[in-house]
Amino acid sequence: MSALLVTGVALLGAATGWAAVPVGRSFCTDRIAGRHAPSRGAFALAGVVAFGGLAAARGADPVLPALLLVAVAGLVLAVTDLTALRLPDPLVGVAALGGGLGLTAATAATGEPRRLAVAVAGAALSFTGYAVLALLPRARLGFGDVKLAAALGLPLGWLGWPALRLGLLLPHVLAGVAVLVLLAARRVRPDTPVPFGPALLGGAWLAAVLT
């Protein structure tokens, strides 16, 4: 049954990733010169990995639907950030709302209301931490990143403090590695704006899968 679950969810992820590119492009009316939307094939593969990984790690855990709802919005947000360096508020709101509703259902299924309280605390902590970073001199974080961090802190908090800590740390590691690779390949200059949203999403996904 678990293999069937993972396969079915992975196929759903492929369809979601394929659809995420045109949906994300519709939010990018002000594209940045030289930046192009990622390919649908690449995002279909990303959807397979994201959804399949969550299903493999969480199985029939009641929190899985909440994580998948966040992942749906996350794939679209990754498209908008890669295409136009934007994390539109409506999409971040969808991620937060989907996660919140899914976690409420998971809390009802598990009978552990304390976990929902910890989830809210995780969102608040994530928002506060990233807001402080965004206000630092020469910070490259935007408040779209701050809002997305709060939306992702909600399910990570529900999973527990180890997941939240990992989800707060890993985006900076992933972003740092990505920038070093791009600099080495001469794809960017030191002053080139680089989207941070995909690193936030990737870090949250790894935290959910590894903890």
Side-chain angles (χ1 to χ4, degrees):
M1 179 64 72
S2 61
L4 288 175
L5 173 66
V6 172
T7 301
V9 172
L11 290 174
L12 177 62
T16 302
W18 181 266
V21 174
V23 174
R25 279 200 303 245
S26 70
F27 284 86
C28 300
T29 55
D30 52 345
R31 296 188 196 179
I32 297 174
R35 303 192 72 90
H36 304 283
S39 73
R40 298 183 78 173
F43 259 67
L45 179 59
V48 169
V49 173
F51 278 52
L54 290 171
R58 294 290 159 184
D61 191 317
V63 79
L64 180 61
L67 297 176
L68 295 178
L69 286 170
V70 175
V72 170
L75 285 167
V76 181
L77 282 162
V79 173
T80 64
D81 210 13
L82 289 168
T83 304
L85 295 175
R86 290 186 63 233
L87 295 168
D89 285 346
L91 291 177
V92 176
V94 168
L97 180 61
L101 291 175
L103 293 177
T104 301
T107 299
T110 60
E112 298 182 78
R114 181 191 65 82
R115 298 185 75 170
L116 190 58
V118 177
V120 174
L125 181 61
S126 298
F127 178 85
T128 302
Y130 274 89
V132 170
L133 291 176
L135 292 172
L136 291 175
R138 299 185 180 179
R140 293 195 174 189
L141 287 177
F143 267 83
D145 299 311
V146 175
K147 296 169 191 174
L148 178 57
L152 296 175
L154 193 64
L156 292 178
W158 199 92
L159 293 174
W161 294 116
L164 182 62
R165 285 194 298 268
L166 200 57
L168 290 173
L169 171 65
L170 281 176
H172 301 282
V173 176
L174 294 175
V177 171
V179 168
L180 288 176
V181 170
L182 291 171
L183 285 171
R186 298 185 178 179
R187 297 287 301 275
V188 299
R189 298 189 305 272
D191 60 343
T192 302
V194 176
F196 190 68
L200 276 170
L201 293 161
W205 178 80
L206 282 171
V209 168
L210 295 176
T211 56

